Amino acid sequence: MPSSGIHVVVLAAGQGTRMKSRLPKVLHPLAGRPLIEHVLKTAEAISPSTVTLIVGHAADAVRTSIGNRPNLDFVVQEPQLGTAHALQQAETRLAGREGTVVLLSGDVPLLTSATLRRLIEAHEGADAAATVVTAIVERPYGYGRIVRTKGRIARIVEERDASPEVRQVREINGGIYAFDLPPLFDALRGIASQNAQGEYYLTDLIAIYRRRKLPVETLVVDNPAEIRGINSRTELAEVSRIVRQTKNEELMAAGVTIIDPATTYIDADVEVGADTVIHPGVSIEGQSRIGAACEIQSHVRIVGSEIADRSIIHNFCLIIGSRIAEGASVGPFAHLRPETVVGEGAKIGTFVELKKTTLGPGSKANHLAYLGDATIGARVNVGAGTITCNYDGTHKHPTVIEDGAFIGSDTQLIAPVRVGKGAYVAAGSSITEDVPAGALGIARGRQTNIDGWVERKKPPVERKKEKARARD
Ligand code: UD1
Ligand code: CA
């Protein structure tokens, strides 16, 4: 395939009115990535010589989200007068070039690069001036319909402009096309805006080509899901379900056990190793990486985190922006906040919250603790009810606990503070000063036992009654 002559244009200037959103449609996330990212990834996979993205509505937000990429240029369409008008904006960038324009829509995210390659092959093989990607569907409502005469495509009619007969047609326009560059921009100038929406429809180009005797072909895709467009929140949810299902199937094929795929939500960019078992109701989001032979129990949510091989995450944990080393155990009901690092074989138990904290290899915080801004060494035991008091109302302060230290239950470590290597902290202490290595830190009121106190406390009547009972 001569990839040097392929120029991709992506239409993404529309507001997406039907989404009823302040966020531009193409930035709505689908499986953890903005819609437009799915489209650009597909485009980049065919190594085009240029990519032009037509932006308009909320152009700055779209630009910022996408950032700089090789061969990608943004062109602004202002105002947005329809899909033909949008493509016209690419003329200055593509004028004088030869080759094929591949037109993609920013709101059609499931298209595969394999289909794009087939489109280019079919288009160049047939020496067509235009090739339209179509599909035969059960529910064509909302899409442009392909009208054929003697089997050949004659024109495309939009839903709103279609007669009852045309609305019966089940072959739809996918909004994805290949165009031979030389005749394209001149023909676009022939499009008028006399239609239900008063817009310049790119779809009118087909009838113009036919009149000019330019050859138009179609590529009918086998899997209509590939060209599903997203115009509403319902369509977004439906397409999300398809992406999720595909992702789960890929992972299962690669050796991951997913007990209930219907309730497992794994974003597109997530990686999971073989022999890992994922229980029902789990969400794994963003750029998360789960190793091999892990167990992720029910109702766990993992966002942008790394979990190494053979770790187990018990029920109901929330893990965000954290790294967990091999063979660690977390939960149930643990909350790992950003910048948490859990060492090899370490153990975090029930109702434990960590924030910006490193827990060294083999260390344990088994029950009810808050560890924030802390650096905890290897083989440390953090007792139940331990709290790092890291915030003085204005600033955050660090706590350091060195290797092998033992923190007794119900300890408050008032930061900044350091507990040295192998030191002990007595249960119930409020530690305000460093505890040297090997020392015992004890900071609590001394216990006094008052003999006979209970007896003396009793009211005289009660005492009399007791004496009487004793005589009987
Ligand atoms: C379009 C097609 C329809 C096809 C469907 C497939 C037209 C007239 N209709 O309809 O035949 O079945 O896609 O999904 O082309 N856009 C701009 N500038 C504009 C208008 C739109 O950049 O002025 C962009 C939008 O951001 C969107 C894409 O073009 O990414 C398609 O626009 P949309 O309004 O969603 O068209 P549909 O009604 O879905
Ligand atoms: Ca659309």
Side-chain angles (χ1 to χ4, degrees):
M1 192 176 69
S3 66
S4 61
I6 302 296
H7 302 279
V8 170
V9 177
V10 184
L11 304 190
Q15 182 181 356
T17 321
R18 288 162 279 182
M19 293 295 281
K20 308 240 164 64
S21 177
R22 292 169 68 159
L23 191 70
K25 176 165 74 178
V26 294
L27 293 189
H28 274 260
L30 171 70
R33 277 186 212 146
L35 283 181
I36 191 71
E37 283 294 333
H38 290 263
V39 178
L40 289 177
K41 238 182 141 92
T42 306
E44 283 160 1
I46 61 164
S47 317
S49 37
T50 67
V51 179
T52 307
L53 190 70
I54 312 295
V55 292
H57 176 77
D60 287 342
V62 177
R63 249 198 208 119
T64 310
S65 162
I66 290 168
N68 288 331
R69 306 213 181 179
N71 303 335
L72 180 107
D73 259 6
F74 295 92
V75 173
V76 177
Q77 179 200 18
E78 194 64 61
Q80 294 97 41
L81 302 178
T83 45
H85 178 251
L87 177 54
Q88 272 177 320
Q89 314 306 309
E91 182 168 7
T92 31
R93 189 166 188 225
L94 299 179
R97 293 184 194 249
E98 299 259 313
T100 301
V101 169
V102 171
L103 186 84
L104 304 178
S105 207
D107 64 350
V108 181
L110 298 186
L111 184 78
T112 62
S113 49
T115 296
L116 272 192
R117 285 193 195 99
R118 278 182 57 208
L119 169 65
I120 294 162
E121 249 170 54
H123 176 78
E124 291 179 349
D127 232 341
T131 304
V132 184
V133 176
T134 76
I136 319 271
V137 297
E138 287 301 317
R139 293 182 298 146
Y141 179 80
Y143 290 92
R145 305 298 206 285
I146 306 296
V147 176
R148 292 180 181 266
T149 48
K150 293 187 194 140
R152 296 197 67 82
I153 182 168
R155 59 202 164 95
I156 301 175
V157 184
E158 291 305 294
E159 173 82 34
R160 299 198 208 201
D161 303 291
S163 63
E165 296 78 67
V166 169
R167 285 189 184 169
Q168 299 300 311
V169 173
R170 292 198 296 120
E171 187 178 9
I172 60 157
N173 170 27
I176 290 143
Y177 319 78
F179 296 110
D180 186 27
L181 240 173
L184 177 63
F185 289 102
D186 180 59
L188 277 175
R189 276 186 278 276
I191 292 176
S193 59
Q194 272 96 33
N195 51 52
Q197 296 202 89
E199 285 187 0
Y200 295 89
Y201 286 167
L202 181 56
T203 43
D204 288 351
L205 200 63
I206 304 310
I208 292 176
Y209 271 29
R210 292 304 306 268
R211 274 202 299 278
R212 296 187 180 185
K213 305 264 181 294
L214 292 165
V216 182
E217 297 290 333
T218 54
L219 176 78
V220 188
V221 293
D222 302 327
N223 175 13
E226 268 199 50
I227 60 165
R228 282 191 68 151
I230 294 179
N231 296 311
S232 66
R233 308 259 184 173
T234 299
E235 285 165 345
L236 178 62
E238 286 166 359
V239 171
S240 296
R241 199 171 60 233
I242 297 171
V243 179
R244 214 155 58 221
Q245 200 178 326
T246 312
K247 179 74 185 182
N248 287 346
E249 282 165 8
E250 272 169 29
L251 291 173
M252 290 188 283
V256 177
T257 293
I258 297 179
I259 292 173
D260 182 19
T263 63
T264 304
Y265 299 74
I266 303 180
D267 279 353
D269 294 330
V270 171
E271 293 172 23
V272 185
D275 286 324
T276 283
V277 179
I278 300 174
H279 292 252
V282 167
S283 292
I284 310 177
E285 303 170 30
Q287 311 284 322
S288 294
R289 287 203 348 237
I290 316 292
C294 291
E295 184 178 342
I296 314 291
Q297 295 188 349
S298 294
H299 306 293
V300 165
R301 179 166 177 237
I302 299 168
V303 184
S305 297
E306 280 178 32
I307 296 174
D309 299 350
R310 289 180 295 285
S311 287
I312 172 161
I313 313 297
H314 296 268
N315 297 286
F316 299 102
C317 289
L318 172 58
I319 300 174
I320 301 175
S322 298
R323 274 191 295 129
I324 297 172
E326 266 187 66
S329 165
V330 175
F333 298 100
H335 185 186
L336 272 50
R337 292 164 55 197
E339 294 180 56
T340 289
V341 179
V342 177
E344 203 178 319
K347 204 161 174 280
I348 288 166
T350 314
F351 302 117
V352 175
E353 174 179 342
L354 273 73
K355 188 220 78 175
K356 217 177 181 179
T357 284
T358 297
L359 187 71
S363 289
K364 291 176 187 162
N366 273 336
H367 339 259
L368 301 151
Y370 171 61
L371 304 169
D373 302 302
T375 307
I376 302 169
R379 301 173 317 282
V380 168
N381 197 313
V382 177
T386 297
I387 294 170
T388 53
C389 308
N390 59 329
Y391 186 49
D392 61 13
T394 320
H395 297 107
K396 300 277 168 69
H397 301 283
T399 298
V400 178
I401 305 173
E402 294 180 357
D403 294 351
F406 183 97
I407 311 297
S409 296
D410 198 23
T411 292
Q412 296 110 58
L413 296 156
I414 301 172
V417 75
R418 172 184 291 265
V419 177
K421 211 168 169 174
Y424 266 60
V425 171
S429 291
S430 292
I431 298 294
T432 53
E433 282 160 40
D434 290 358
V435 181
L440 168 71
I442 179 159
R444 63 184 183 217
R446 212 172 246 288
Q447 181 172 334
T448 344
N449 296 334
I450 304 171
D451 287 332
W453 182 90
V454 177
E455 193 54 31
R456 287 200 301 282
K457 244 338 225 190
K458 277 181 189 154
V461 222
E462 189 69 22
R463 244 182 278 158
K464 251 186 212 157
K465 270 189 203 158
E466 275 180 13
K467 267 186 196 153
R469 264 200 298 269
R471 279 197 300 272
D472 288 344

